[in-house]
Amino acid sequence: MSHAEKKARTTTDEYELIYWPRLPGRGEPIRLLLEEAGASYTDTAHEKDGIQKVVGALKPDFDPGKDNLPGLAPPMLRCGDLFISQSPNIMLFLGERLKLIPGDVEINKYRVNQLVLTMLDLQNEVHDSHHPIAVSLYYDDQKAEAKRKAEDVRNARIPKFFNYFELVIGKSEGPYLLSEFSYADLVLWHLVDGCLYAFPKAMNRQFEKSPKVKELYDTVAKRARIAAYLSSERRQKYDNGIYRYYEELDE
Amino acid sequence: MSHAEKKARTTTDEYELIYWPRLPGRGEPIRLLLEEAGASYTDTAHEKDGIQKVVGALKPDFDPGKDNLPGLAPPMLRCGDLFISQSPNIMLFLGERLKLIPGDVEINKYRVNQLVLTMLDLQNEVHDSHHPIAVSLYYDDQKAEAKRKAEDVRNARIPKFFNYFELVIGKSEGPYLLSEFSYADLVLWHLVDGCLYAFPKAMNRQFEKSPKVKELYDTVAKRARIAAYLSSERRQKYDNGIYRYYEELDE
């Protein structure tokens, strides 16, 4: 993509991302869309009173503005008068708005959304590998169950999903999921990155069977704005979020 | 809504739903959209070779047609040249196509999609209440873990989500989630119905705190086409799907 094309993608809209500080979490795929498009955005993760803003948006008396709905949980996004939540929903909005859906947008948006929803299904299962019983309990309180769950995620679920993504990239002839770059590639990059962090042994074995997914992962990381983001201070380290590393859960 | 308005909603498109027979499952919310709109559709659940069609669509060499992507799992939908999967994605497509999004569709589609994604999050948790470890294992092989998980779903998750839906209906002043009927109401009907089947005791307690959700549930069931569908042979009974009744999981 030329510099001029990149410039053309930039929008003058202002976006406000509302998400917990201190971990990439469910906010991260959204950030990747904003960064790839060179969008102008604020992020409560980097604001002094960020936590208060997130907590405030979760109170029953929070006013999201005319005709808007409150969200059950972050991430939430404000753009002008619109306030929305649910990460695949936010990404669909941004994908359309920031031109991260190639070709015939009115058709391809369903294809990209399908892929992203599938990725987030696996992301939820990876989360549940350390929290299979309750999000309100500590890992230590569900360690035995987590060991069983993680075994299934490593040995059955990761292979199932990654074989599917490998098949899809094969059909597009690569390096991306569709015949052109789309925001689904950013979400897959994040999924692979998170799984590599959580299950390094299992994922390095999986890469042998999913060379096209590995190639996509490497290719996306080299996109100019993504590379700049990943080496910036805006990129947060994995912590006690969706993707966690517990040696005992990676065999 | 007048009879004329209902007629206007009807489309001449033909839809093909590809989903497992013998249980409502993840196909059911999609069926509710098709039924509410009076759409013309076929359903592999009621075809003699339905299972073979679903199995065929899951094979690596399945050809979904030009530019289409295979799906990881059913439900899948074909409409003309388009083939898509992922239930919230299919419902977004149908919601736009069948005019089940009120008002300014280009904005309200994100609001309806947000609500539906939130409902499906709880639906996944209800599924995991009997299968917290692995979908490939029997319930009996994860019964102890299921008991712990179900306790959290009943006591923390169902209240959290239903309090949220109650808040949203309160803001619209009822009886629906938005100020007018949308397909999110159909999905909430299905979620309530499934939870009532799985956790009758817990849900009847929850209804005391969520009278608006209960009213929406009753109102949707009385919509002419939904009532006709629910009393038809097309409506399948709950079985070993997402929503299951195990007495020990409802205390």
Side-chain angles (χ1 to χ4, degrees):
Chain A
M1 192 168 61
S2 71
H3 185 69
E5 277 174 303
K6 256 187 213 155
K7 274 289 208 189
R9 284 195 171 179
T10 307
T11 162
T12 52
D13 283 326
E14 283 284 334
Y15 301 93
E16 183 186 358
L17 177 63
I18 297 160
Y19 195 70
W20 303 114
R22 289 185 207 146
L23 70 170
R26 292 183 197 277
E28 197 63 11
I30 297 168
R31 291 188 187 102
L32 293 178
L33 270 69
L34 293 162
E35 294 283 344
E36 169 66 30
S40 173
Y41 74 103
T42 59
D43 186 340
T44 53
H46 303 299
E47 290 174 26
K48 208 182 149 194
D49 61 345
I51 290 182
Q52 283 74 19
K53 275 196 190 171
V54 180
V55 170
L58 293 172
K59 288 191 174 152
D61 62 353
F62 170 71
D63 180 8
K66 191 175 178 315
D67 293 334
N68 288 316
L69 302 172
L72 179 79
M76 300 164 181
L77 185 87
R78 191 177 287 286
C79 173
D81 291 338
L82 188 67
F83 177 87
I84 54 174
S85 69
Q86 274 285 354
S87 55
N89 188 46
I90 292 171
M91 289 192 274
L92 181 67
F93 169 76
L94 291 177
E96 296 180 271
R97 181 74 65 131
L98 301 175
K99 305 201 190 315
L100 298 172
I101 301 170
D104 182 347
V105 175
E106 282 311 300
I107 295 296
N108 283 338
K109 67 180 179 183
Y110 301 113
R111 296 186 172 125
V112 175
N113 189 41
Q114 169 185 322
L115 291 171
V116 167
L117 287 163
T118 305
M119 292 164 198
L120 298 182
D121 280 348
L122 181 59
Q123 177 167 285
N124 280 342
E125 296 197 35
V126 172
H127 169 272
D128 292 353
S129 72
H130 53 76
H131 271 73
I133 301 301
V135 286
S136 58
L137 294 175
Y138 290 110
Y139 167 61
D140 278 345
D141 295 329
Q142 48 197 311
K143 221 170 157 176
E145 293 93 340
K147 207 164 157 61
R148 283 193 80 191
K149 176 76 175 179
E151 189 183 336
D152 183 64
V153 168
R154 280 194 325 265
N155 297 339
R157 306 303 286 171
I158 284 180
K160 182 184 170 85
F161 280 77
F162 279 86
N163 292 350
Y164 170 73
F165 299 130
E166 188 76 6
L167 178 73
V168 171
I169 302 170
K171 282 181 187 280
S172 82
E173 297 180 11
Y176 298 121
L177 287 149
L178 302 187
S179 56
E180 290 176 68
F181 174 77
S182 74
Y183 75 85
D185 300 309
L186 298 171
V187 184
L188 185 55
W189 181 87
H190 178 62
L191 178 69
V192 173
D193 196 65
C195 287
L196 256 180
Y197 176 75
F199 305 114
K201 285 189 206 161
M203 276 301 290
N204 278 303
R205 277 202 309 277
Q206 185 60 42
F207 275 154
E208 288 173 29
K209 290 172 194 157
S210 311
K212 295 183 182 79
V213 172
K214 175 71 166 70
E215 193 200 342
L216 182 148
Y217 175 66
D218 294 338
T219 304
V220 168
K222 286 179 198 140
R223 291 182 71 88
R225 285 176 172 164
I226 296 301
Y229 169 66
L230 294 176
S231 62
S232 76
E233 287 192 357
R234 298 192 297 288
R235 168 73 176 175
Q236 297 166 92
K237 285 191 169 53
Y238 291 108
D239 198 347
N240 281 332
I242 299 168
Y243 299 106
R244 303 186 186 188
Y245 178 65
Y246 296 112
E247 195 179 358
E248 64 273 23
L249 298 188
D250 191 28
E251 285 147 299
Chain B
M1 191 169 59
S2 71
H3 185 68
E5 277 174 303
K6 253 187 213 154
K7 274 288 207 190
R9 284 192 171 182
T10 307
T11 163
T12 52
D13 283 325
E14 283 284 334
Y15 301 92
E16 182 187 358
L17 177 63
I18 297 160
Y19 195 70
W20 304 114
R22 288 184 208 146
L23 70 169
R26 292 183 197 276
E28 198 63 11
I30 297 169
R31 290 188 187 102
L32 294 177
L33 270 68
L34 293 163
E35 293 284 344
E36 168 66 29
S40 173
Y41 74 103
T42 58
D43 185 340
T44 53
H46 303 300
E47 290 173 27
K48 209 183 150 194
D49 62 345
I51 289 182
Q52 283 74 21
K53 275 196 191 171
V54 180
V55 170
L58 293 172
K59 289 190 174 153
D61 62 353
F62 171 71
D63 180 8
K66 190 173 177 314
D67 293 335
N68 288 316
L69 301 173
L72 179 79
M76 301 164 181
L77 185 86
R78 191 178 286 287
C79 174
D81 291 338
L82 188 68
F83 177 88
I84 55 174
S85 69
Q86 274 285 354
S87 57
N89 188 47
I90 292 171
M91 289 192 274
L92 181 66
F93 169 76
L94 291 176
E96 295 179 271
R97 179 76 63 130
L98 301 175
K99 306 200 189 314
L100 298 172
I101 301 170
D104 182 347
V105 175
E106 283 311 300
I107 296 295
N108 284 337
K109 68 180 180 183
Y110 301 113
R111 297 187 172 124
V112 175
N113 189 40
Q114 169 185 322
L115 292 171
V116 167
L117 288 163
T118 305
M119 293 164 197
L120 297 181
D121 280 348
L122 181 59
Q123 176 167 284
N124 280 341
E125 296 197 34
V126 172
H127 169 272
D128 291 353
S129 72
H130 53 75
H131 271 73
I133 301 301
V135 286
S136 58
L137 293 175
Y138 290 110
Y139 167 63
D140 277 346
D141 296 329
Q142 48 196 311
K143 220 169 156 176
E145 294 92 341
K147 209 165 155 63
R148 284 192 80 191
K149 175 77 174 179
E151 190 184 334
D152 183 64
V153 168
R154 280 194 325 266
N155 297 338
R157 306 303 287 170
I158 284 179
K160 181 183 172 85
F161 280 77
F162 278 86
N163 291 350
Y164 170 72
F165 299 130
E166 188 76 5
L167 178 72
V168 171
I169 302 170
K171 282 181 187 281
S172 81
E173 296 180 12
Y176 298 122
L177 288 149
L178 302 188
S179 55
E180 290 175 69
F181 174 77
S182 74
Y183 74 86
D185 300 309
L186 298 171
V187 184
L188 185 55
W189 182 88
H190 178 62
L191 178 69
V192 172
D193 195 66
C195 287
L196 256 179
Y197 176 75
F199 306 113
K201 286 188 204 160
M203 276 301 290
N204 278 303
R205 277 201 310 276
Q206 184 61 43
F207 275 154
E208 287 173 29
K209 291 172 194 157
S210 312
K212 296 184 181 80
V213 172
K214 175 70 166 69
E215 193 199 342
L216 182 146
Y217 175 66
D218 294 339
T219 304
V220 168
K222 285 180 198 137
R223 291 181 72 88
R225 285 176 171 163
I226 297 300
Y229 168 66
L230 293 176
S231 62
S232 76
E233 288 191 355
R234 297 191 297 288
R235 168 73 176 175
Q236 297 166 92
K237 286 190 167 53
Y238 291 108
D239 198 347
N240 281 332
I242 299 169
Y243 299 106
R244 303 187 186 188
Y245 178 65
Y246 296 112
E247 195 179 357
E248 65 272 23
L249 298 187
D250 191 27
E251 283 147 299

